[in-house]
Amino acid sequence: MASAPTPPVSAVKITDVAAAAGVAPMTVSRVLNTPERVSPGTAERVRAAIDALGYVPNLIAGGLSSRRSRMIAAIVPTIASPMFAEPVQSFTDAMGRAGYHVMLALSGYGEADEATLIRAVLARRPDGLLLTGARRSPEASRLLATARVPVVEIWDTAEQPTDMLVGFDHEEVGREVAAYFRAQGHTQFAFLGASDIRATARGRGFAQGGLAAQATVKAPGTIVEARQAFRAMARKLTSRTALFASSDLIAFGVLTEARAMGISVPDQLAVCGFGDFELSRGASPAITTVHVDGIAMGVLAAEHLVARLAGRAEGHAHRALVPFRIVERDTT
Amino acid sequence: MASAPTPPVSAVKITDVAAAAGVAPMTVSRVLNTPERVSPGTAERVRAAIDALGYVPNLIAGGLSSRRSRMIAAIVPTIASPMFAEPVQSFTDAMGRAGYHVMLALSGYGEADEATLIRAVLARRPDGLLLTGARRSPEASRLLATARVPVVEIWDTAEQPTDMLVGFDHEEVGREVAAYFRAQGHTQFAFLGASDIRATARGRGFAQGGLAAQATVKAPGTIVEARQAFRAMARKLTSRTALFASSDLIAFGVLTEARAMGISVPDQLAVCGFGDFELSRGASPAITTVHVDGIAMGVLAAEHLVARLAGRAEGHAHRALVPFRIVERDTT
DNA sequence: TCATGTAATGGTATCGATAACATCACTCGC
DNA sequence: GCGAGTGATGTTATCGATACCATTACATGA
């Protein structure tokens, strides 16, 4: 195709297209947003003009006018861990398919003020919000309430979510892992977890029958930190122990160090991780872990949000619990 | 198709604040954007009114008026790999500190049409763009040129980048790894890489002296895929081999399988990965790898963009090569 | 034949902010 | 003592789209 001298994107606006196609701007807008309300012939002409001029609609202007930004803001602690990268990725994909863009805001692990972050993203008037966790400060709750924006919270559960929720109970995960170990005949338990709120909750559930040892690493927790922490912890573990790690990365660190120390797995030390990262499947021995489908969580969160935004929220419950399960591999 | 209800997101607008503070809307705008041009007393009153009313400025309206969105769009293949998650994370952080939000668009590995994606994000009139790689289709280049938007390309290099570039030469990485192996006395080489364009380039550089074996896995490449591929490949490796993997994940898969097969590392098989993921440091044996500071790359990209956006582009070269280095650990 | 419904399209008034210019009150310096 | 300069604030006109309602041209049924 002969590249006609195309004016800068910013220069071509809807009125230019309208003039070129011999219609009113409103008709151009209809061709783009509600094509079924325009006669095929007119739509054809308008589309030809759009192509010829290289028109790229200005969603900022459209958003101001329609009061819908077609944008969702996602606030997660980090995407440097698969724990959050996967749901964010699948959420972004799924929202994209529904015509929404996702703006990413990273909160870190609690050091930043969440309310400030929420205020900042609300300034862009997102049509919806994805938040991590289910505990909001009063300030944050107030902001969200007055903004009247659909909210999905993921990765946790609460009796009274802010709005919609797609998550699960971390304490219950801990209890289930403990029950699993007990069923295997274990009596001495240990926990090695990151310092974040949900990892702590898993530890709490796990520890209900008592703990022979426990250690914490700074969230999100690295392999090297886990190795160091386990080395220190191992001295206290005199007999056969079942260890629950708050993430697969930490579990891998424990296993790596255990091998270096000559501790046999799973005979002397049984290990269960959390997250079912690719590493757990790929490592040898393959790591027993708690599978939580982060990808599904992202997709489900997107579905809830899209349903709400389309006005057909009735079919969906506000609170969806995603299942988790223990994937038994070689370390237990 | 229920028409979406358009509830006033936040009823409070700049005129309300202005009325409450007894000033003109423009003065409120100044308090928020150029506080140094407002007298302290007035600013105080305005801020009090903002707090009292819970005013959250509408950046959509502001953006339309000022023609600056204070938003950057980032297009990366995926964030499910640390390769891209780290730079995206650090870029988002750094841009956030400069007052910009980042919108994330995921392109996958080539199957989607990049130009379509670029057109979609340009509709939001981002003040800048972060793109992965340095090869653009003619269509994409045309779009970017007419949009006159600052662009930073990362993760690759090119003689003529679209605009700014922060990356390095992947072929050179391959050559350097080959040279490193040669210096260690290796003569038989193998490559196991993902199918993406940059991994392929690294393989090309590595293969210049010839390859005893090579295999490709679908990008981005998983541990399990790497194990399978290596198992198939290993039959061809009759003598001492130096293997370059296109990512640390793949290297880890190779090492895991090698251990299972009783191949001694680094005596029979030396392995070098790419990326210096946390896994390489944490695993045992620790994996020799090519370190590329993805976090620094994100920060640097943000600095270039911010400098350009602030109008002080002079101090920065358009094309920054980030250094890489081989981190020697236990597998070579 | 005419009232009425319906599909296609146009005209006008915003949406909520900011740019650009105007205004006003002072302070200097000579 | 007065014009020029300066800092603080106000006024007006957009920014580029869409909502809302009006209008037109037909088709339809009584």
Side-chain angles (χ1 to χ4, degrees), chain A residues 132-316:
Chain A
T132 310
R135 293 180 47 150
R136 306 269 85 82
S137 67
E139 168 78 349
S141 300
R142 198 182 56 75
L143 270 169
L144 295 172
T146 61
R148 292 176 208 275
V149 142
V151 173
V152 202
E153 294 168 311
I154 61 169
W155 268 117
D156 206 346
T157 191
E159 291 308 318
Q160 293 230 246
T162 303
D163 183 359
M164 294 172 284
L165 182 143
V166 178
F168 58 94
D169 185 336
H170 289 258
E171 279 202 42
E172 193 188 331
V173 168
R175 287 194 299 272
E176 293 262 336
V177 172
Y180 165 76
F181 277 142
R182 244 179 266 118
Q184 290 210 323
H186 284 280
T187 54
Q188 174 163 300
F189 293 173
F191 178 73
L192 208 173
S195 57
D196 79 85
I197 181 173
R198 285 172 291 277
T200 306
R202 295 194 289 278
R204 199 164 48 239
F206 182 71
Q208 292 192 338
L211 241 40
Q214 101 176 81
T216 304
V217 297
K218 200 168 111 279
T222 65
I223 298 173
V224 172
E225 288 164 355
R227 289 178 67 168
Q228 289 168 349
F230 178 73
R231 182 166 280 272
M233 173 192 273
R235 279 171 300 191
K236 296 184 214 150
L237 304 175
T238 49
S239 62
R240 184 168 181 251
T241 300
L243 184 146
F244 182 33
S246 78
S247 86
D248 284 355
L249 230 49
I250 292 177
F252 180 77
V254 166
L255 289 164
T256 302
E257 196 61 25
R259 200 176 64 207
M261 295 171 80
I263 299 173
S264 78
V265 171
D267 296 336
Q268 288 175 265
L269 178 74
V271 174
C272 177
F274 176 84
D276 197 9
F277 300 168
E278 203 222 315
L279 175 60
S280 301
R281 200 170 330 151
S284 172
I287 305 172
T288 292
T289 187
V290 178
H291 173 88
V292 180
D293 195 336
I295 292 174
M297 194 152 49
V299 171
L300 207 55
E303 279 172 5
H304 277 251
L305 214 41
V306 169
R308 167 72 63 82
L309 291 167
R312 47 183 171 77
E314 308 315 319
H316 280 269

Side-chain angles (χ1 to χ4, degrees), chain B residues 229-251:
Chain B
F230 178 73
R231 182 167 280 270
M233 173 191 273
R235 279 172 299 191
K236 297 185 215 149
L237 305 175
T238 50
S239 62
R240 183 167 181 251
T241 301
L243 184 146
F244 182 31
S246 79
S247 86
D248 284 356
L249 230 48
I250 292 177

Side-chain angles (χ1 to χ4, degrees), chain A residues 61-189:
Chain A
L64 177 59
S65 184
S66 66
R67 292 135 171 264
R68 296 189 322 148
S69 58
R70 297 220 136 244
M71 185 217 76
I72 306 293
I75 303 183
V76 295
T78 175
I79 54 163
S81 153
M83 204 100 100
F84 300 111
E86 286 184 358
V88 167
Q89 166 110 16
S90 63
F91 179 78
T92 302
D93 278 347
M95 291 308 303
R97 268 175 260 125
Y100 289 84
H101 283 153
V102 172
M103 222 172 52
L104 192 60
L106 303 171
S107 59
Y109 276 99
E111 65 268 24
D113 179 7
E114 193 195 40
T116 304
L117 212 50
I118 291 178
R119 191 192 313 277
V121 304
L122 283 180
R124 297 202 181 264
R125 300 297 187 267
D127 289 343
L129 241 50
L130 178 81
L131 300 178
T132 310
R135 293 180 47 150
R136 306 269 85 82
S137 67
E139 168 78 349
S141 300
R142 198 182 56 75
L143 270 169
L144 295 172
T146 61
R148 292 176 208 275
V149 142
V151 173
V152 202
E153 294 168 311
I154 61 169
W155 268 117
D156 206 346
T157 191
E159 291 308 318
Q160 293 230 246
T162 303
D163 183 359
M164 294 172 284
L165 182 143
V166 178
F168 58 94
D169 185 336
H170 289 258
E171 279 202 42
E172 193 188 331
V173 168
R175 287 194 299 272
E176 293 262 336
V177 172
Y180 165 76
F181 277 142
R182 244 179 266 118
Q184 290 210 323
H186 284 280
T187 54
Q188 174 163 300
F189 293 173

